[in-house]
Amino acid sequence: MTNLPAAFRAQLAGEACIGRLGVVGCRVSAAGDTTKYLLGLADGQSVETVLLRHDYGQTVCVSTQVGCRMGCRFCASGAEGWVRHLRSGEIYEQVLVAGRLSGVPVTHIVIMGMGEPLDNYHHTVAFIENISAPYGLHISQRRITLSTCGLVPRIRDLAQRGYGLTLAVSLHAPNNRLRNQLAPINRKHPLEELIPACADYAVRTGRRVSFEYVLLAGVNDTPALAAELAELLAGVHGHVNLIPANPVPECGFKAPTPAAVRNFRQVLERRGIPVSVRREMGADIGAACGQLRRRRPRGHKE
Ligand code: SAH
């Protein structure tokens, strides 16, 4: 575009790029409701994006980083380390590619793929603004959920922005001793910082916070811990979303028994905490929560 000043062209070449994410791999679950894409970035890296079909619409689960540096013990996304943040355009493209390939409009977005969105705060925020803007896909912020492992200062920053999105917080344990072991971020931002930040978020935005709790057999799935969780969350405008652990071979945790899930849920309900159990989708293709990674596992064929 020689009609633009040379200095501006040089600036554009240094800061911006035009391109699409290439589809490196694609797998469809046996149930047919989940599709996982491995998408290639311009620098040769790749990320996974998942498309979930529900009766109420179609959700895309986007990644925000190549790899992850939060180190949660039960999650595949950090198992191969962290490479880089995604740019907002690379997050946005995941939605476009998934929508285009499926041929069905995307109605909901969950920022729950690989990476920690609040560790890549500026690009994640730009993505939320662009995708919800009239000049973007115009997806209502009420149909966007952002999940974080608990970067407290960024939760407080986000609360100031007044978005209508749902904040989901990966809690996984009701006390610091256990949470320190499962999610190392807790050593930096312990529960006595995290829970008040979530409570403030709910008050400021009027939106109920969703507390995700991955149930790991024999580790955090006892009724006593459920009671402790109910106590921790008493008075917070939120609800608990239980996620029976999905298998990640190198992490070595096991899924809870159905009875353990039932009992855990019951204890919370009896103590007045709203609770739901997340429906598992795409575990057979490594597309379920905690299974996303930045390349195909060895020996894996599409
Ligand atoms: N970094 C963000 C976004 C990831 S979201 C976060 O931590 O919230 C993915 C959700 O799946 C998180 O709640 C995460 O804790 C959960 N998860 C990770 N590993 C899992 C596993 N093996 N089984 C089930 N859920 C898992």
Side-chain angles (χ1 to χ4, degrees), residues 189-273:
H189 301 295
L191 290 170
E192 57 274 20
E193 266 184 51
L194 176 61
I195 301 300
C198 296
D200 284 354
Y201 186 94
V203 169
R204 266 179 191 278
T205 61
R207 308 279 294 158
R208 182 169 89 149
V209 173
S210 172
F211 292 100
E212 296 158 290
Y213 194 105
V214 175
L215 288 166
L216 308 158
V219 176
N220 66 352
D221 64 345
T222 62
L225 288 170
E228 202 177 338
L229 180 63
E231 208 156 292
L232 179 73
L233 299 181
V236 181
H237 182 43
H239 88 289
V240 173
N241 190 210
L242 298 174
I243 316 173
N246 294 305
V248 176
E250 59 266 58
C251 298
F253 290 101
K254 285 206 192 76
T257 62
V261 178
R262 230 174 13 247
N263 292 340
F264 201 93
R265 172 181 199 151
Q266 235 170 39
V267 172
L268 292 173
E269 276 171 348
R270 289 208 181 117
R271 288 164 194 253
I273 305 287

Side-chain angles (χ1 to χ4, degrees), residues 26-290:
C26 167
R27 298 186 74 194
V28 182
S29 67
D33 55 4
T34 309
T35 309
K36 180 174 79 167
Y37 300 102
L38 182 66
L39 302 177
L41 308 167
D43 63 355
Q45 293 292 337
S46 48
V47 290
E48 291 190 324
T49 301
V50 181
L51 183 90
L52 305 134
R53 282 181 202 90
H54 303 284
D55 6 326
Y56 55 81
Q58 183 148 253
T59 301
V60 175
C61 176
V62 294
S63 293
T64 52
Q65 297 180 318
V66 180
C68 186
R69 53 186 173 187
M70 297 297 117
C72 299
R73 300 276 179 258
F74 41 83
C75 181
S77 297
E80 291 168 52
W82 179 84
V83 179
R84 69 170 174 89
H85 295 310
L86 293 185
R87 291 191 307 274
S88 62
E90 291 172 317
I91 308 173
Y92 198 119
E93 261 282 307
Q94 295 173 51
V95 181
L96 293 183
V97 171
R100 199 183 303 132
L101 293 178
S102 70
V104 183
V106 175
T107 55
H108 295 71
I109 290 174
V110 291
I111 309 175
M112 290 195 181
M114 190 173 20
E116 167 48 48
L118 296 187
D119 185 35
N120 184 12
Y121 184 78
H122 296 291
H123 283 286
T124 297
V125 158
F127 162 71
I128 292 165
E129 298 204 345
N130 288 333
I131 204 95
S132 59
Y135 59 76
L137 286 190
H138 211 177
I139 292 177
S140 161
Q141 290 178 352
R142 299 206 157 232
R143 294 179 167 195
I144 301 176
T145 300
L146 180 150
S147 179
T148 177
C149 65
L151 296 182
V152 172
R154 291 311 199 183
I155 291 176
R156 293 201 174 274
D157 290 343
L158 196 65
Q160 307 278 351
R161 292 187 166 261
Y163 296 151
L165 57 78
T166 297
L167 178 70
V169 176
S170 295
L171 202 54
H172 313 322
N175 59 58
N176 286 327
R177 190 189 47 77
L178 186 55
R179 195 162 191 270
N180 283 344
Q181 287 168 24
L182 297 175
I185 187 68
N186 196 67
R187 295 188 202 134
K188 200 162 173 203
H189 301 295
L191 290 170
E192 57 274 20
E193 266 184 51
L194 176 61
I195 301 300
C198 296
D200 284 354
Y201 186 94
V203 169
R204 266 179 191 278
T205 61
R207 308 279 294 158
R208 182 169 89 149
V209 173
S210 172
F211 292 100
E212 296 158 290
Y213 194 105
V214 175
L215 288 166
L216 308 158
V219 176
N220 66 352
D221 64 345
T222 62
L225 288 170
E228 202 177 338
L229 180 63
E231 208 156 292
L232 179 73
L233 299 181
V236 181
H237 182 43
H239 88 289
V240 173
N241 190 210
L242 298 174
I243 316 173
N246 294 305
V248 176
E250 59 266 58
C251 298
F253 290 101
K254 285 206 192 76
T257 62
V261 178
R262 230 174 13 247
N263 292 340
F264 201 93
R265 172 181 199 151
Q266 235 170 39
V267 172
L268 292 173
E269 276 171 348
R270 289 208 181 117
R271 288 164 194 253
I273 305 287
V275 51
S276 55
V277 178
R278 187 173 295 179
R279 186 156 71 89
E280 179 199 285
M281 290 174 80
D284 59 328
I285 54 168
C289 301

